[in-house]
Amino acid sequence: MTSHVKNTLVTTAAIAGALAATTLFNTTTVKADTTSSAPVTTTTSATKDTAIASAQAKVNSASAAVVSAQAAYGSASTAASDAAAKTAAASASAAATSSAVANAQAAADAAATAKSTADANLAKAQATAAETSRAQSVTSAAVVSAQSAVASASAKASDADSAVASAVASAFAKASDADSAVASAEACQTVTANLMRSDDPTKQSAAAGFFAKQVTIKQDGSDYLITLTLSSGNGFIKSMTLNGEQPTTTTANGDTGTYTYKVSAAVLAKGSATLAFALQTPMGAMNQTALLDIDTTIFNGLLADKSDADAALTSAQAALSTAKTNAAKAAQVASSAASAATAAATVASDAAVVATSAATNLTSAQAANSTAQAALTSAQAAQSAVDATLATAKANLDSANAALTSAQAELKSAQNIVVVTPASSASSSASSAASSASSTDSSAASSASSTASSAGSAASPATNSAASTATATSNVASSASTTTVTSAVVATPATTKKATSSIPASSTTAKTLPQTGNENQSALVALGLAILTLGIYPMMKRKHA
């Protein structure tokens, strides 16, 4: 049950009670000799009956108008309640869609930001991949260059080896006997070697007398084997090293012996090496050093070239190794950069899909919001129209209530008229007044029924039923008014008083006056119940709708 329906019920019940109470308490017994504090008009019975009938007709008509206006107000109130509910629902829907639009906008903004970030990361990753790819190309080129350098150095080293071998072969070929030269070349080359003091290379060492002046040199791969011959004193030598290296082989033959050492081409190119002795002599143990000065003129400086070529080859090989390491690192970095670029591309693609979806959702939310806003505008317009109708119905109801109050006041005034007429003419006047009141009440009831029917048609089916009830109520009110008017006829006794009567004239008059208030009570109760029914009906109709 809505608040409007409750208000309708309460108002209707109040009006019904007011009508019943007003009629009951205002229609009183009129006594000829009763005085009142209010102004009293003295007239004939017929005139009073006519006035009462006219006032009663106005009351009935005003009551019917109130019932009709109340029904129209109840219908308008129900419609206003429904319109308010629809407006509230439309407002809630519009608020929800507005919130959805805000959420969709935030999601679209976040997705757009994520897409921008992903695109920037992709561009950066692609630039890094391109840079690492260029670095890989450079390192690969460096590897190729280093490989060329190694090949070139290797060729030079090989050429140097060939030159040395050629020089040795050429020296051997100088021998007068070809067979001796061949044999000497196979055995190795003999060169002169002198032992000099290590502290003064210009002076011969004391150990020089124990060694043969000739040493043999034989190529052993990229190195050379130098064999020293000890012509005497071999028994005093505990150990002997050349440039800190122990001999590869030794032989002993009494006080003589041989010592063979492996040396590099650089040592031969230098032409000198340090010979260290650990001796055990009759004077005790001692350690001495001497410089072995080797005559390498046979090689014509080719050993130095070979040493340089070998050094260049070693350096080229180291450079190649470094270039290969750098190339491997660059390739690894390039591979990682390429993987990062691929991952960034995937992220950017996913971000683009999310951004597109968010934009679509935003468009849908905006469309739904537009629809909801339009529905809200329509509901507000409908509510405004219904509110205007409700205001008009309220104004009509207020006007009808005012008219009813005025008619009730007029009826009360008519009922307070004091009748002073002969009894013979009172009956005729009362009959005429009753006829006039009946006619007036019928017209008023017809007018109230017409008004209720019009208001019901304009409001709702429930109001049409209320109009029918109002018509029935008008008929009851007409009957009640007829009774009231008929009862209102006052039979006044003769103006000549009997001298022997001890009863006051006022007492006789009181006995013959009709009790109008009591006789109208049933009709007014019926009218109140009918009005109450009109108030309850829209509520019941709304409850079962």
Side-chain angles (χ1 to χ4, degrees), residues 108-533:
D109 292 342
T113 300
K115 182 179 182 301
S116 297
T117 301
D119 290 341
N121 291 337
L122 174 59
K124 184 178 180 180
Q126 288 174 337
T128 301
E131 183 178 354
T132 54
S133 179
R134 287 193 297 272
Q136 183 180 10
S137 299
V138 171
T139 54
S140 297
V143 169
V144 173
S145 177
Q147 288 173 337
S148 298
V150 168
S152 177
S154 180
K156 289 181 179 180
S158 178
D159 291 343
D161 288 341
S162 298
V164 171
S166 178
V168 172
S170 177
F172 292 159
K174 291 180 180 179
S176 57
D177 191 320
D179 293 336
S180 296
V182 173
S184 177
E186 291 177 354
C188 58
Q189 178 65 38
T190 301
V191 298
T192 300
N194 294 314
L195 281 179
M196 309 300 289
R197 293 176 59 174
S198 57
D199 58 349
D200 187 1
T202 62
K203 295 180 180 181
Q204 192 173 42
S205 172
F210 295 95
F211 286 89
K213 298 293 184 182
Q214 303 293 319
V215 297
T216 59
I217 299 174
K218 183 178 180 180
Q219 189 170 5
D220 183 22
S222 60
D223 296 322
Y224 295 88
L225 296 176
I226 298 178
T227 301
L228 305 179
T229 301
L230 192 63
S231 58
S232 63
N234 187 48
F236 297 106
I237 298 178
K238 294 174 58 178
S239 66
M240 183 173 60
T241 61
L242 184 66
N243 284 345
E245 298 292 335
Q246 295 291 336
T248 58
T249 60
T250 61
T251 62
N253 186 13
D255 199 32
T256 63
T258 60
Y259 293 83
T260 302
Y261 300 90
K262 180 180 285 189
V263 297
S264 66
V267 173
L268 289 182
K270 184 178 180 182
S272 65
T274 300
L275 197 62
F277 307 97
L279 303 176
Q280 184 63 46
T281 68
M283 293 181 292
M286 62 179 63
N287 294 312
Q288 293 184 349
T289 60
L291 292 178
L292 180 62
D293 189 6
I294 305 171
D295 183 7
T296 58
T297 55
I298 187 175
F299 298 108
N300 297 321
L302 296 177
L303 287 175
D305 294 338
K306 183 180 185 309
S307 178
D308 292 341
D310 289 342
L313 176 60
T314 300
S315 177
Q317 288 173 336
L320 176 60
S321 177
T322 301
K324 287 181 177 180
T325 300
N326 292 339
K329 291 181 179 179
Q332 184 177 2
V333 172
S335 177
S336 298
S339 298
T342 301
T346 300
V347 172
S349 178
D350 293 342
V353 172
V354 172
T356 301
S357 177
T360 301
N361 292 340
L362 176 59
T363 301
S364 298
Q366 289 172 336
N369 185 48
S370 297
T371 301
Q373 293 293 344
L376 175 59
T377 301
S378 177
Q380 289 172 337
Q383 183 179 1
S384 297
V386 172
D387 288 343
T389 302
L390 178 62
T392 300
K394 180 65 169 62
N396 292 338
L397 177 59
D398 292 341
S399 178
N401 283 328
L404 176 60
T405 301
S406 177
Q408 288 171 340
E410 185 176 345
L411 176 60
K412 182 176 181 181
S413 178
Q415 289 172 341
N416 287 335
I417 296 174
V418 175
V419 179
V420 182
T421 56
S424 59
S425 62
S427 177
S428 175
S429 299
S431 177
S432 175
S435 176
S436 175
S438 177
S439 175
T440 304
D441 287 346
S442 298
S443 299
S446 176
S447 175
S449 177
S450 176
T451 303
S453 298
S454 300
S457 299
S460 65
T463 310
N464 291 335
S465 177
S468 298
T469 306
T471 303
T473 304
S474 297
N475 294 332
V476 174
S478 177
S479 174
S481 66
T482 302
T483 303
T484 300
V485 174
T486 303
S487 300
V489 177
V490 179
T492 306
T495 56
T496 303
K497 298 182 180 179
K498 293 180 181 182
T500 60
S501 175
S502 61
I503 300 174
S506 59
S507 176
T508 304
T509 304
K511 290 180 181 180
T512 58
L513 288 175
Q515 304 299 317
T516 57
N518 293 332
E519 293 173 359
N520 288 339
Q521 189 173 16
S522 298
L524 290 173
V525 170
L527 176 61
L529 290 175
I531 295 172
L532 181 60
T533 302

Side-chain angles (χ1 to χ4, degrees), residues 62-79:
S63 297
V66 168
V67 171
S68 176
Q70 184 63 51
Y73 179 77
S75 177
S77 179
T78 301

